[in-house]
Amino acid sequence: MNYEEPKRQDYDVFISYRHETGFYMAQIIYADLIANGCTVFMDKTMDSGKYEEKIHTAIKNCKNFVVVLFPGDIVECESADSWLSKEAKWAIECGVMNIIPVMCDGFQWPKTEEKLSDSMKVVMKNHGLFIHKDFSIDK
């Protein structure tokens, strides 16, 4: 019996977020992008299987990488083992064209980069979007 490789899925956007802080904002961004015709990958929507392999493959096949950040998330990003740092590293290694930090509810980058993982230093240098209580996603 012959088995075919699953068809490669290309994504317009991959959404990276911390489950503890960014899940609801990631869902809002996901729903808005889907409603506007984008193909979007968010880990909560993936099928069962090898988690890390599926994440890496989705990042490799995306055009835009969005990182949702809330106050306090930066402490998590100090480690290269954090999922935000890992996913950002893969996006950089795979040559994803647009890496977009979405900074929510007063998130601020640290005044010095010394504690950040190398991948988060790259994310920090990208132009991003600040979202606050008066922000409209339609903008």
Side-chain angles (χ1 to χ4, degrees):
M1 185 177 276
N2 291 336
Y3 292 98
E4 289 185 28
E5 285 290 317
K7 186 176 178 184
R8 187 178 114 178
Q9 171 68 50
D10 291 326
Y11 297 97
D12 294 314
V13 181
F14 180 101
I15 301 175
S16 180
Y17 64 98
R18 287 196 63 225
H19 290 196
E20 296 84 3
T21 56
F23 178 68
Y24 293 110
M25 182 56 71
Q27 281 188 310
I28 290 167
I29 294 168
Y30 175 87
D32 188 64
L33 290 169
I34 292 290
N36 283 289
C38 295
T39 54
V40 184
F41 182 92
M42 184 174 149
D43 66 346
K44 292 295 185 181
T45 64
M46 90 180 162
D47 297 329
S48 61
K50 296 179 180 176
Y51 185 82
E52 191 164 325
E53 183 179 309
K54 286 183 175 245
I55 295 288
H56 190 267
T57 299
I59 291 170
K60 184 168 62 173
N61 297 322
C62 77
K63 297 175 190 162
N64 302 283
F65 180 83
V66 170
V67 184
V68 178
L69 297 164
F70 277 84
D73 287 351
I74 206 63
V75 173
E76 173 75 12
C77 297
E78 291 174 359
S79 165
D81 291 332
S82 81
W83 274 101
L84 287 177
S85 292
K86 264 191 219 184
E87 291 172 353
K89 179 180 180 230
W90 292 337
I92 294 161
E93 290 174 350
C94 293
V96 175
M97 296 301 287
N98 296 310
I99 297 176
I100 307 160
V102 175
M103 298 153 285
C104 306
D105 293 344
F107 172 88
Q108 292 185 350
W109 290 104
K111 303 224 184 294
T112 176
E113 300 176 12
E114 66 187 43
K115 290 187 176 182
L116 289 177
S117 67
D118 289 343
S119 58
M120 292 311 291
K121 288 176 186 175
V122 172
V123 172
M124 180 180 174
K125 291 178 176 23
N126 282 275
H127 182 67
L129 179 64
F130 286 96
I131 296 180
H132 49 81
K133 65 181 174 97
D134 298 321
F135 181 83
S136 168
I137 197 93
D138 294 334
K139 293 180 184 176

mmCIF file of all heavy atoms in Angstrom, residues 52-98:
data_model
loop_
_atom_site.group_PDB
_atom_site.id
_atom_site.type_symbol
_atom_site.label_atom_id
_atom_site.label_comp_id
_atom_site.label_asym_id
_atom_site.label_seq_id
_atom_site.Cartn_x
_atom_site.Cartn_y
_atom_site.Cartn_z
ATOM 1 N N GLU A 52 6.428 19.505 18.331
ATOM 2 C CA GLU A 52 7.557 20.358 17.940
ATOM 3 C C GLU A 52 7.787 20.321 16.429
ATOM 4 O O GLU A 52 8.041 21.350 15.806
ATOM 5 C CB GLU A 52 8.816 19.919 18.694
ATOM 6 C CG GLU A 52 9.949 20.900 18.559
ATOM 7 C CD GLU A 52 11.046 20.679 19.583
ATOM 8 O OE1 GLU A 52 10.762 20.299 20.730
ATOM 9 O OE2 GLU A 52 12.212 20.906 19.203
ATOM 10 N N GLU A 53 7.681 19.153 15.840
ATOM 11 C CA GLU A 53 7.868 19.010 14.392
ATOM 12 C C GLU A 53 6.799 19.791 13.616
ATOM 13 O O GLU A 53 7.103 20.462 12.627
ATOM 14 C CB GLU A 53 7.803 17.525 14.025
ATOM 15 C CG GLU A 53 8.058 17.234 12.575
ATOM 16 C CD GLU A 53 8.002 15.729 12.303
ATOM 17 O OE1 GLU A 53 8.668 14.968 13.020
ATOM 18 O OE2 GLU A 53 7.278 15.352 11.368
ATOM 19 N N LYS A 54 5.557 19.724 14.074
ATOM 20 C CA LYS A 54 4.466 20.440 13.400
ATOM 21 C C LYS A 54 4.650 21.951 13.518
ATOM 22 O O LYS A 54 4.400 22.681 12.560
ATOM 23 C CB LYS A 54 3.121 20.012 13.966
ATOM 24 C CG LYS A 54 2.715 18.635 13.511
ATOM 25 C CD LYS A 54 1.340 18.285 14.039
ATOM 26 C CE LYS A 54 0.919 16.964 13.481
ATOM 27 N NZ LYS A 54 -0.227 17.069 12.612
ATOM 28 N N ILE A 55 5.080 22.405 14.680
ATOM 29 C CA ILE A 55 5.320 23.845 14.883
ATOM 30 C C ILE A 55 6.429 24.314 13.939
ATOM 31 O O ILE A 55 6.298 25.326 13.243
ATOM 32 C CB ILE A 55 5.711 24.133 16.351
ATOM 33 C CG1 ILE A 55 4.553 23.806 17.302
ATOM 34 C CG2 ILE A 55 6.181 25.572 16.527
ATOM 35 C CD1 ILE A 55 3.397 24.749 17.272
ATOM 36 N N HIS A 56 7.539 23.591 13.923
ATOM 37 C CA HIS A 56 8.670 23.980 13.078
ATOM 38 C C HIS A 56 8.282 24.000 11.606
ATOM 39 O O HIS A 56 8.629 24.930 10.864
ATOM 40 C CB HIS A 56 9.857 23.033 13.312
ATOM 41 C CG HIS A 56 11.110 23.500 12.668
ATOM 42 N ND1 HIS A 56 11.484 23.096 11.416
ATOM 43 C CD2 HIS A 56 12.067 24.365 13.098
ATOM 44 C CE1 HIS A 56 12.629 23.677 11.095
ATOM 45 N NE2 HIS A 56 13.005 24.448 12.093
ATOM 46 N N THR A 57 7.533 22.991 11.163
ATOM 47 C CA THR A 57 7.090 22.923 9.767
ATOM 48 C C THR A 57 6.169 24.092 9.426
ATOM 49 O O THR A 57 6.286 24.695 8.357
ATOM 50 C CB THR A 57 6.383 21.580 9.494
ATOM 51 O OG1 THR A 57 7.318 20.525 9.736
ATOM 52 C CG2 THR A 57 5.875 21.499 8.064
ATOM 53 N N ALA A 58 5.251 24.428 10.326
ATOM 54 C CA ALA A 58 4.337 25.548 10.076
ATOM 55 C C ALA A 58 5.106 26.861 9.963
ATOM 56 O O ALA A 58 4.817 27.688 9.100
ATOM 57 C CB ALA A 58 3.288 25.626 11.188
ATOM 58 N N ILE A 59 6.097 27.053 10.823
ATOM 59 C CA ILE A 59 6.905 28.277 10.765
ATOM 60 C C ILE A 59 7.673 28.327 9.442
ATOM 61 O O ILE A 59 7.736 29.369 8.787
ATOM 62 C CB ILE A 59 7.864 28.366 11.969
ATOM 63 C CG1 ILE A 59 7.065 28.604 13.255
ATOM 64 C CG2 ILE A 59 8.900 29.476 11.764
ATOM 65 C CD1 ILE A 59 7.867 28.470 14.529
ATOM 66 N N LYS A 60 8.232 27.197 9.057
ATOM 67 C CA LYS A 60 9.000 27.128 7.805
ATOM 68 C C LYS A 60 8.120 27.490 6.607
ATOM 69 O O LYS A 60 8.606 28.020 5.615
ATOM 70 C CB LYS A 60 9.573 25.716 7.644
ATOM 71 C CG LYS A 60 10.458 25.559 6.445
ATOM 72 C CD LYS A 60 11.251 24.261 6.463
ATOM 73 C CE LYS A 60 10.341 23.062 6.432
ATOM 74 N NZ LYS A 60 11.071 21.791 6.277
ATOM 75 N N ASN A 61 6.824 27.230 6.709
ATOM 76 C CA ASN A 61 5.907 27.453 5.595
ATOM 77 C C ASN A 61 5.013 28.684 5.777
ATOM 78 O O ASN A 61 3.935 28.755 5.208
ATOM 79 C CB ASN A 61 5.047 26.204 5.378
ATOM 80 C CG ASN A 61 5.890 25.015 4.983
ATOM 81 O OD1 ASN A 61 6.841 25.146 4.232
ATOM 82 N ND2 ASN A 61 5.562 23.859 5.507
ATOM 83 N N CYS A 62 5.471 29.644 6.578
ATOM 84 C CA CYS A 62 4.658 30.856 6.755
ATOM 85 C C CYS A 62 5.374 32.075 6.174
ATOM 86 O O CYS A 62 6.585 32.092 6.035
ATOM 87 C CB CYS A 62 4.301 31.072 8.221
ATOM 88 S SG CYS A 62 5.624 31.739 9.241
ATOM 89 N N LYS A 63 4.577 33.077 5.845
ATOM 90 C CA LYS A 63 5.114 34.328 5.297
ATOM 91 C C LYS A 63 5.344 35.367 6.387
ATOM 92 O O LYS A 63 6.236 36.202 6.279
ATOM 93 C CB LYS A 63 4.143 34.897 4.269
ATOM 94 C CG LYS A 63 3.937 34.023 3.072
ATOM 95 C CD LYS A 63 2.864 34.607 2.176
ATOM 96 C CE LYS A 63 2.483 33.611 1.098
ATOM 97 N NZ LYS A 63 1.209 33.920 0.481
ATOM 98 N N ASN A 64 4.485 35.351 7.408
ATOM 99 C CA ASN A 64 4.531 36.347 8.478
ATOM 100 C C ASN A 64 4.504 35.636 9.821
ATOM 101 O O ASN A 64 3.732 34.696 10.018
ATOM 102 C CB ASN A 64 3.330 37.290 8.386
ATOM 103 C CG ASN A 64 3.272 37.997 7.055
ATOM 104 O OD1 ASN A 64 4.013 38.936 6.815
ATOM 105 N ND2 ASN A 64 2.408 37.533 6.165
ATOM 106 N N PHE A 65 5.323 36.107 10.740
ATOM 107 C CA PHE A 65 5.431 35.523 12.072
ATOM 108 C C PHE A 65 5.047 36.591 13.079
ATOM 109 O O PHE A 65 5.716 37.625 13.178
ATOM 110 C CB PHE A 65 6.871 35.042 12.303
ATOM 111 C CG PHE A 65 7.121 34.413 13.629
ATOM 112 C CD1 PHE A 65 6.818 33.077 13.844
ATOM 113 C CD2 PHE A 65 7.673 35.149 14.659
ATOM 114 C CE1 PHE A 65 7.061 32.484 15.075
ATOM 115 C CE2 PHE A 65 7.928 34.573 15.891
ATOM 116 C CZ PHE A 65 7.624 33.235 16.099
ATOM 117 N N VAL A 66 3.955 36.383 13.785
ATOM 118 C CA VAL A 66 3.453 37.346 14.769
ATOM 119 C C VAL A 66 3.751 36.816 16.168
ATOM 120 O O VAL A 66 3.430 35.663 16.478
ATOM 121 C CB VAL A 66 1.930 37.567 14.599
ATOM 122 C CG1 VAL A 66 1.360 38.373 15.750
ATOM 123 C CG2 VAL A 66 1.640 38.243 13.265
ATOM 124 N N VAL A 67 4.357 37.653 17.010
ATOM 125 C CA VAL A 67 4.644 37.289 18.399
ATOM 126 C C VAL A 67 3.790 38.175 19.296
ATOM 127 O O VAL A 67 3.934 39.394 19.299
ATOM 128 C CB VAL A 67 6.130 37.515 18.751
ATOM 129 C CG1 VAL A 67 6.410 37.043 20.169
ATOM 130 C CG2 VAL A 67 7.043 36.833 17.765
ATOM 131 N N VAL A 68 2.877 37.573 20.062
ATOM 132 C CA VAL A 68 2.004 38.298 20.979
ATOM 133 C C VAL A 68 2.716 38.396 22.327
ATOM 134 O O VAL A 68 3.100 37.381 22.912
ATOM 135 C CB VAL A 68 0.641 37.584 21.134
ATOM 136 C CG1 VAL A 68 -0.238 38.316 22.127
ATOM 137 C CG2 VAL A 68 -0.049 37.449 19.775
ATOM 138 N N LEU A 69 2.891 39.620 22.818
ATOM 139 C CA LEU A 69 3.646 39.853 24.050
ATOM 140 C C LEU A 69 2.841 40.683 25.048
ATOM 141 O O LEU A 69 2.255 41.703 24.691
ATOM 142 C CB LEU A 69 4.951 40.582 23.731
ATOM 143 C CG LEU A 69 5.925 39.825 22.836
ATOM 144 C CD1 LEU A 69 6.968 40.773 22.265
ATOM 145 C CD2 LEU A 69 6.571 38.693 23.605
ATOM 146 N N PHE A 70 2.835 40.234 26.297
ATOM 147 C CA PHE A 70 2.189 40.944 27.400
ATOM 148 C C PHE A 70 3.242 41.271 28.453
ATOM 149 O O PHE A 70 4.303 40.638 28.495
ATOM 150 C CB PHE A 70 1.091 40.066 28.026
ATOM 151 C CG PHE A 70 -0.208 40.118 27.283
ATOM 152 C CD1 PHE A 70 -0.423 39.315 26.184
ATOM 153 C CD2 PHE A 70 -1.224 40.988 27.681
ATOM 154 C CE1 PHE A 70 -1.613 39.361 25.485
ATOM 155 C CE2 PHE A 70 -2.421 41.042 26.988
ATOM 156 C CZ PHE A 70 -2.614 40.228 25.888
ATOM 157 N N PRO A 71 2.950 42.262 29.335
ATOM 158 C CA PRO A 71 3.898 42.542 30.414
ATOM 159 C C PRO A 71 4.214 41.247 31.174
ATOM 160 O O PRO A 71 3.337 40.429 31.414
ATOM 161 C CB PRO A 71 3.142 43.532 31.303
ATOM 162 C CG PRO A 71 2.206 44.226 30.363
ATOM 163 C CD PRO A 71 1.779 43.149 29.390
ATOM 164 N N GLY A 72 5.461 41.072 31.496
ATOM 165 C CA GLY A 72 5.900 39.874 32.210
ATOM 166 C C GLY A 72 6.395 38.767 31.297
ATOM 167 O O GLY A 72 7.147 37.892 31.719
ATOM 168 N N ASP A 73 5.981 38.777 30.038
ATOM 169 C CA ASP A 73 6.418 37.733 29.103
ATOM 170 C C ASP A 73 7.911 37.792 28.833
ATOM 171 O O ASP A 73 8.531 36.786 28.499
ATOM 172 C CB ASP A 73 5.669 37.837 27.771
ATOM 173 C CG ASP A 73 4.228 37.379 27.857
ATOM 174 O OD1 ASP A 73 3.835 36.815 28.906
ATOM 175 O OD2 ASP A 73 3.496 37.574 26.874
ATOM 176 N N ILE A 74 8.492 38.963 28.976
ATOM 177 C CA ILE A 74 9.898 39.128 28.631
ATOM 178 C C ILE A 74 10.797 38.288 29.524
ATOM 179 O O ILE A 74 11.842 37.811 29.099
ATOM 180 C CB ILE A 74 10.300 40.627 28.637
ATOM 181 C CG1 ILE A 74 11.471 40.860 27.704
ATOM 182 C CG2 ILE A 74 10.592 41.126 30.015
ATOM 183 C CD1 ILE A 74 11.177 40.557 26.273
ATOM 184 N N VAL A 75 10.391 38.057 30.760
ATOM 185 C CA VAL A 75 11.173 37.205 31.660
ATOM 186 C C VAL A 75 11.275 35.803 31.068
ATOM 187 O O VAL A 75 12.338 35.183 31.072
ATOM 188 C CB VAL A 75 10.549 37.165 33.080
ATOM 189 C CG1 VAL A 75 11.254 36.158 33.964
ATOM 190 C CG2 VAL A 75 10.596 38.550 33.705
ATOM 191 N N GLU A 76 10.179 35.317 30.514
ATOM 192 C CA GLU A 76 10.162 34.016 29.846
ATOM 193 C C GLU A 76 11.086 34.017 28.636
ATOM 194 O O GLU A 76 11.716 33.010 28.317
ATOM 195 C CB GLU A 76 8.730 33.689 29.423
ATOM 196 C CG GLU A 76 8.577 32.453 28.588
ATOM 197 C CD GLU A 76 8.713 31.143 29.356
ATOM 198 O OE1 GLU A 76 8.702 31.166 30.590
ATOM 199 O OE2 GLU A 76 8.843 30.103 28.699
ATOM 200 N N CYS A 77 11.192 35.138 27.967
ATOM 201 C CA CYS A 77 11.981 35.234 26.732
ATOM 202 C C CYS A 77 13.479 35.313 26.991
ATOM 203 O O CYS A 77 14.270 35.310 26.054
ATOM 204 C CB CYS A 77 11.566 36.460 25.932
ATOM 205 S SG CYS A 77 9.862 36.406 25.390
ATOM 206 N N GLU A 78 13.883 35.399 28.239
ATOM 207 C CA GLU A 78 15.311 35.448 28.557
ATOM 208 C C GLU A 78 15.978 34.104 28.280
ATOM 209 O O GLU A 78 17.169 34.041 28.062
ATOM 210 C CB GLU A 78 15.517 35.857 30.018
ATOM 211 C CG GLU A 78 15.130 37.297 30.278
ATOM 212 C CD GLU A 78 15.191 37.676 31.744
ATOM 213 O OE1 GLU A 78 15.527 36.815 32.584
ATOM 214 O OE2 GLU A 78 14.887 38.839 32.060
ATOM 215 N N SER A 79 15.198 33.053 28.262
ATOM 216 C CA SER A 79 15.738 31.719 28.044
ATOM 217 C C SER A 79 15.572 31.303 26.582
ATOM 218 O O SER A 79 14.500 31.460 26.003
ATOM 219 C CB SER A 79 14.998 30.717 28.936
ATOM 220 O OG SER A 79 15.254 29.399 28.508
ATOM 221 N N ALA A 80 16.629 30.728 26.012
ATOM 222 C CA ALA A 80 16.545 30.220 24.639
ATOM 223 C C ALA A 80 15.621 29.005 24.569
ATOM 224 O O ALA A 80 15.205 28.604 23.488
ATOM 225 C CB ALA A 80 17.933 29.860 24.124
ATOM 226 N N ASP A 81 15.296 28.413 25.725
ATOM 227 C CA ASP A 81 14.414 27.245 25.773
ATOM 228 C C ASP A 81 12.933 27.617 25.838
ATOM 229 O O ASP A 81 12.083 26.736 25.749
ATOM 230 C CB ASP A 81 14.749 26.371 26.988
ATOM 231 C CG ASP A 81 16.106 25.703 26.840
ATOM 232 O OD1 ASP A 81 16.522 25.459 25.687
ATOM 233 O OD2 ASP A 81 16.739 25.423 27.870
ATOM 234 N N SER A 82 12.618 28.892 26.004
ATOM 235 C CA SER A 82 11.205 29.289 26.034
ATOM 236 C C SER A 82 10.612 29.071 24.649
ATOM 237 O O SER A 82 11.306 29.194 23.636
ATOM 238 C CB SER A 82 11.056 30.750 26.458
ATOM 239 O OG SER A 82 11.294 31.618 25.365
ATOM 240 N N TRP A 83 9.333 28.762 24.590
ATOM 241 C CA TRP A 83 8.703 28.524 23.290
ATOM 242 C C TRP A 83 8.706 29.776 22.433
ATOM 243 O O TRP A 83 8.899 29.698 21.222
ATOM 244 C CB TRP A 83 7.286 27.964 23.462
ATOM 245 C CG TRP A 83 7.342 26.484 23.617
ATOM 246 C CD1 TRP A 83 7.244 25.764 24.768
ATOM 247 C CD2 TRP A 83 7.580 25.537 22.570
ATOM 248 N NE1 TRP A 83 7.402 24.425 24.506
ATOM 249 C CE2 TRP A 83 7.611 24.247 23.157
ATOM 250 C CE3 TRP A 83 7.781 25.629 21.209
ATOM 251 C CZ2 TRP A 83 7.813 23.083 22.432
ATOM 252 C CZ3 TRP A 83 7.981 24.466 20.474
ATOM 253 C CH2 TRP A 83 8.001 23.208 21.085
ATOM 254 N N LEU A 84 8.512 30.940 23.042
ATOM 255 C CA LEU A 84 8.561 32.180 22.248
ATOM 256 C C LEU A 84 9.937 32.331 21.605
ATOM 257 O O LEU A 84 10.044 32.656 20.419
ATOM 258 C CB LEU A 84 8.253 33.397 23.117
ATOM 259 C CG LEU A 84 6.806 33.583 23.563
ATOM 260 C CD1 LEU A 84 6.691 34.792 24.471
ATOM 261 C CD2 LEU A 84 5.880 33.727 22.377
ATOM 262 N N SER A 85 10.984 32.092 22.375
ATOM 263 C CA SER A 85 12.342 32.209 21.842
ATOM 264 C C SER A 85 12.622 31.145 20.790
ATOM 265 O O SER A 85 13.228 31.430 19.750
ATOM 266 C CB SER A 85 13.369 32.110 22.977
ATOM 267 O OG SER A 85 13.292 33.237 23.810
ATOM 268 N N LYS A 86 12.205 29.901 21.055
ATOM 269 C CA LYS A 86 12.414 28.810 20.091
ATOM 270 C C LYS A 86 11.728 29.107 18.767
ATOM 271 O O LYS A 86 12.306 28.956 17.695
ATOM 272 C CB LYS A 86 11.825 27.500 20.638
ATOM 273 C CG LYS A 86 12.771 26.608 21.321
ATOM 274 C CD LYS A 86 12.065 25.264 21.524
ATOM 275 C CE LYS A 86 12.424 24.694 22.855
ATOM 276 N NZ LYS A 86 11.859 23.373 23.080
ATOM 277 N N GLU A 87 10.457 29.508 18.860
ATOM 278 C CA GLU A 87 9.694 29.774 17.641
ATOM 279 C C GLU A 87 10.278 30.950 16.879
ATOM 280 O O GLU A 87 10.379 30.914 15.644
ATOM 281 C CB GLU A 87 8.222 29.983 17.981
ATOM 282 C CG GLU A 87 7.556 28.717 18.460
ATOM 283 C CD GLU A 87 6.154 28.892 18.996
ATOM 284 O OE1 GLU A 87 5.687 30.050 19.142
ATOM 285 O OE2 GLU A 87 5.512 27.868 19.278
ATOM 286 N N ALA A 88 10.700 31.985 17.594
ATOM 287 C CA ALA A 88 11.329 33.138 16.937
ATOM 288 C C ALA A 88 12.641 32.714 16.266
ATOM 289 O O ALA A 88 12.938 33.133 15.144
ATOM 290 C CB ALA A 88 11.570 34.257 17.941
ATOM 291 N N LYS A 89 13.412 31.864 16.937
ATOM 292 C CA LYS A 89 14.668 31.368 16.357
ATOM 293 C C LYS A 89 14.395 30.615 15.058
ATOM 294 O O LYS A 89 15.083 30.815 14.052
ATOM 295 C CB LYS A 89 15.369 30.457 17.364
ATOM 296 C CG LYS A 89 16.662 29.867 16.859
ATOM 297 C CD LYS A 89 17.299 28.963 17.913
ATOM 298 C CE LYS A 89 18.586 28.402 17.373
ATOM 299 N NZ LYS A 89 18.719 26.981 17.493
ATOM 300 N N TRP A 90 13.395 29.754 15.066
ATOM 301 C CA TRP A 90 13.060 28.999 13.858
ATOM 302 C C TRP A 90 12.611 29.935 12.738
ATOM 303 O O TRP A 90 12.954 29.723 11.583
ATOM 304 C CB TRP A 90 11.990 27.951 14.152
ATOM 305 C CG TRP A 90 12.461 26.839 15.036
ATOM 306 C CD1 TRP A 90 13.748 26.420 15.230
ATOM 307 C CD2 TRP A 90 11.648 26.003 15.843
ATOM 308 N NE1 TRP A 90 13.777 25.373 16.116
ATOM 309 C CE2 TRP A 90 12.506 25.090 16.508
ATOM 310 C CE3 TRP A 90 10.281 25.923 16.091
ATOM 311 C CZ2 TRP A 90 12.030 24.121 17.386
ATOM 312 C CZ3 TRP A 90 9.822 24.956 16.960
ATOM 313 C CH2 TRP A 90 10.691 24.062 17.599
ATOM 314 N N ALA A 91 11.830 30.960 13.079
ATOM 315 C CA ALA A 91 11.377 31.922 12.066
ATOM 316 C C ALA A 91 12.573 32.624 11.425
ATOM 317 O O ALA A 91 12.630 32.798 10.209
ATOM 318 C CB ALA A 91 10.422 32.937 12.678
ATOM 319 N N ILE A 92 13.536 32.992 12.248
ATOM 320 C CA ILE A 92 14.741 33.659 11.743
ATOM 321 C C ILE A 92 15.540 32.694 10.865
ATOM 322 O O ILE A 92 15.943 33.033 9.751
ATOM 323 C CB ILE A 92 15.602 34.182 12.921
ATOM 324 C CG1 ILE A 92 14.832 35.291 13.658
ATOM 325 C CG2 ILE A 92 16.964 34.669 12.440
ATOM 326 C CD1 ILE A 92 15.341 35.560 15.064
ATOM 327 N N GLU A 93 15.752 31.480 11.358
ATOM 328 C CA GLU A 93 16.519 30.480 10.607
ATOM 329 C C GLU A 93 15.852 30.105 9.276
ATOM 330 O O GLU A 93 16.536 29.835 8.300
ATOM 331 C CB GLU A 93 16.703 29.211 11.444
ATOM 332 C CG GLU A 93 17.638 29.372 12.604
ATOM 333 C CD GLU A 93 17.691 28.152 13.515
ATOM 334 O OE1 GLU A 93 16.853 27.224 13.368
ATOM 335 O OE2 GLU A 93 18.565 28.144 14.386
ATOM 336 N N CYS A 94 14.518 30.094 9.266
ATOM 337 C CA CYS A 94 13.779 29.715 8.057
ATOM 338 C C CYS A 94 13.609 30.882 7.098
ATOM 339 O O CYS A 94 13.049 30.721 6.012
ATOM 340 C CB CYS A 94 12.410 29.142 8.428
ATOM 341 S SG CYS A 94 12.510 27.566 9.300
ATOM 342 N N GLY A 95 14.057 32.061 7.489
ATOM 343 C CA GLY A 95 13.989 33.217 6.605
ATOM 344 C C GLY A 95 12.599 33.809 6.452
ATOM 345 O O GLY A 95 12.286 34.373 5.399
ATOM 346 N N VAL A 96 11.777 33.703 7.495
ATOM 347 C CA VAL A 96 10.445 34.320 7.432
ATOM 348 C C VAL A 96 10.638 35.818 7.203
ATOM 349 O O VAL A 96 11.412 36.477 7.903
ATOM 350 C CB VAL A 96 9.634 34.047 8.719
ATOM 351 C CG1 VAL A 96 8.314 34.786 8.687
ATOM 352 C CG2 VAL A 96 9.410 32.550 8.901
ATOM 353 N N MET A 97 9.945 36.349 6.206
ATOM 354 C CA MET A 97 10.164 37.729 5.777
ATOM 355 C C MET A 97 9.752 38.766 6.824
ATOM 356 O O MET A 97 10.455 39.732 7.042
ATOM 357 C CB MET A 97 9.409 37.997 4.476
ATOM 358 C CG MET A 97 9.908 37.164 3.314
ATOM 359 S SD MET A 97 11.654 37.417 2.949
ATOM 360 C CE MET A 97 11.595 39.027 2.227
ATOM 361 N N ASN A 98 8.596 38.584 7.429
ATOM 362 C CA ASN A 98 8.080 39.574 8.373
ATOM 363 C C ASN A 98 7.935 38.964 9.755
ATOM 364 O O ASN A 98 7.185 38.015 9.942
ATOM 365 C CB ASN A 98 6.710 40.094 7.919
ATOM 366 C CG ASN A 98 6.796 40.842 6.615
ATOM 367 O OD1 ASN A 98 7.633 41.725 6.462
ATOM 368 N ND2 ASN A 98 5.963 40.477 5.669
#
